Amino acid sequence: EPVVLRDGKGVTVFACGVMVGKALEAAEALKDEVSVRVVNVSTIKPLNKEKINEYAKDVKGVVTAEEHSVIGGLGGAVAEALCKACKPIEMVGVEDRFGASAHNYNDILNYLGLTTEHIADAVRKITGISMDFSFICSKVSIPSISGMAMSRRIRSNFAANKVFPSSIPEQQATS
């Protein structure tokens, strides 16, 4: 059952395992920049999708933090639960790559991008998005707008606002 450990109104960070403590540290570090809600998701399967949606509905976006692959882990499960919410999501977790050895546990966490700083950076990415994503979600479902035309429209809107979310690289958005 997801449990709110720290309430906030700007961004929700869903975390599990050792990353819960790092998420709380990131929320504390960001307290002067953004109000961060931290939710401990101790069980990924089964995932209480209703609670996930409840904790994400009144914030600008969501960050997931896990000491696991984002594929098939907490990040993927939360993204699936929020697929109709049209919220920006950043995932802090092990990307689809081979692991490595390190001298100690903290070195490997840093190498994999599983640190307090990485969580804080993901929160900052979410709060840097100034566009209303409900516009995108409502327009994409209209059959008269082709996917390519919609893609160009989204990129041009981001370029006009000088905002580039991680899902739309800057070089594409300005072309």
Side-chain angles (χ1 to χ4, degrees):
E1 198 68 23
V3 176
V4 175
L5 301 179
R6 179 184 178 123
D7 205 11
K9 297 181 186 337
V11 173
T12 297
V13 177
F14 293 103
C16 61
V18 70
M19 299 303 282
V20 173
K22 295 186 181 305
L24 288 167
E25 290 171 5
E28 182 62 24
L30 292 167
K31 70 181 178 186
D32 294 332
E33 296 176 51
V34 62
S35 174
V36 178
R37 175 183 298 143
V38 177
V39 179
N40 179 13
V41 184
S42 59
T43 304
I44 298 171
K45 184 152 181 63
L47 182 67
N48 186 330
K49 292 179 182 181
E50 292 78 25
K51 286 283 189 191
I52 298 296
N53 277 280
E54 177 185 332
Y55 296 145
K57 72 179 176 186
D58 60 346
V59 295
K60 191 169 193 172
V62 167
V63 172
T64 62
E66 62 190 306
E67 182 193 28
H68 183 276
S69 173
V70 293
I71 301 168
L74 178 64
V78 169
E80 183 179 313
L82 296 175
C83 68
K84 294 182 182 175
C86 291
K87 296 271 182 186
I89 299 174
E90 289 290 327
M91 296 178 194
V92 176
V94 179
E95 296 298 325
D96 191 20
R97 66 180 188 187
F98 292 104
S101 298
H103 292 286
N104 62 52
Y105 182 65
N106 286 328
D107 286 348
I108 198 72
L109 290 179
N110 189 47
Y111 172 76
L112 294 171
L114 306 178
T115 66
T116 299
E117 294 80 20
H118 287 97
I119 296 171
D121 287 345
V123 169
R124 286 185 188 105
K125 276 185 183 180
I126 295 291
T127 59
I129 298 171
S130 63
M131 186 175 171
D132 177 11
F133 277 84
S134 62
F135 165 79
I136 295 170
C137 296
S138 65
K139 297 294 182 188
V140 169
S141 63
I142 298 174
S144 63
I145 298 177
S146 72
M148 189 62 96
M150 190 65 233
S151 179
R152 281 193 302 271
R153 176 179 283 160
I154 292 168
R155 284 197 303 267
S156 67
N157 284 337
F158 281 114
N161 292 317
K162 304 283 191 265
V163 176
F164 305 99
S166 60
S167 61
I168 303 175
E170 186 170 344
Q171 64 272 17
Q172 288 181 356
T174 57
S175 59

